[in-house]
Amino acid sequence: MICRLCLLALLFCHTVEASDVYKTLFQARFEPAAGTASASIKITQDSALLRVVDFAAPATRFSNFTGDGKIQQQHGRVLWTVPAKGGTLRYQVKIDHRRGEGHDARITETWAIMRLDNLFPPAYVRALKASRTQSSLRLLGPEDWVFETRYGSASGTLKLPRSDRNFNRPTGWL
């Protein structure tokens, strides 16, 4: 009898833990001829765990925000109210970025170098306190391109390492 109660308690705890997780897929499709990437952030959740994402997104680099839920742009920020069951935010990113005499991000027909932080900008989030994310990254480009990230070679979808942050986004050089 006690073993059955322990088993039921263990199953209940596992179910509660799983319900506090939402999934985030960060995706970018590189378009060398245009000098841009089409980026998206897809949230999958059973209930309204992640509610609002507030991005730093200056208009000089980010544009054409569309998606599910409510999207507001103001003073270099984008406020995305995520639907209760999740949704996708889509936008364009200008890759080339000059800094002083050189570039800190560059795309050509045959290669690109940049920070993932610049494809998926910093954000503040409003989420349920106990919630956390399982994040993954997918990068797409010309057939002969190979993507190298701090997480390893990005062929297919990469799972990002677990983080204590409510919004675990990809960072580092690409």
Side-chain angles (χ1 to χ4, degrees), residues 50-70:
L50 179 66
R51 297 176 179 180
V52 177
V53 184
D54 180 356
F55 296 99
T60 55
R61 193 164 229 179
F62 299 93
S63 63
N64 302 326
F65 284 88
T66 63
D68 306 310
K70 185 177 178 184

Side-chain angles (χ1 to χ4, degrees), residues 11-32:
L11 288 172
F12 176 74
C13 289
H14 178 72
T15 302
V16 169
E17 183 177 309
S19 69
D20 290 341
V21 174
Y22 60 92
K23 293 182 181 178
T24 308
L25 172 62
F26 295 90
Q27 180 171 293
R29 178 179 301 279
F30 292 88
E31 300 161 2

Side-chain angles (χ1 to χ4, degrees), residues 37-55:
S38 295
S40 65
I41 301 170
K42 180 179 180 179
I43 304 296
T44 305
Q45 57 188 2
D46 292 332
S47 59
L49 298 174
L50 179 66
R51 297 176 179 180
V52 177
V53 184
D54 180 356
F55 296 99

Side-chain angles (χ1 to χ4, degrees), residues 113-126:
I113 188 167
M114 72 205 68
R115 290 183 202 85
L116 287 167
D117 317 50
N118 292 333
L119 289 174
F120 308 106
Y124 298 104
V125 299
R126 274 189 252 148

Side-chain angles (χ1 to χ4, degrees), residues 76-140:
R77 300 205 65 84
V78 171
L79 192 68
W80 178 34
T81 304
V82 181
K85 294 292 183 179
T88 303
L89 178 70
R90 295 169 201 82
Y91 55 96
Q92 291 293 120
V93 183
K94 179 182 166 197
I95 302 295
D96 284 355
H97 186 256
R98 295 194 65 84
R99 179 168 286 177
E101 297 291 316
H103 288 85
D104 70 350
R106 183 86 170 105
I107 188 170
T108 72
E109 289 293 326
T110 57
W111 59 269
I113 188 167
M114 72 205 68
R115 290 183 202 85
L116 287 167
D117 317 50
N118 292 333
L119 289 174
F120 308 106
Y124 298 104
V125 299
R126 274 189 252 148
L128 288 183
K129 190 171 187 171
S131 67
R132 64 186 192 287
T133 186
Q134 290 177 345
S135 297
S136 54
L137 171 66
R138 183 181 303 144
L139 301 171
L140 307 163

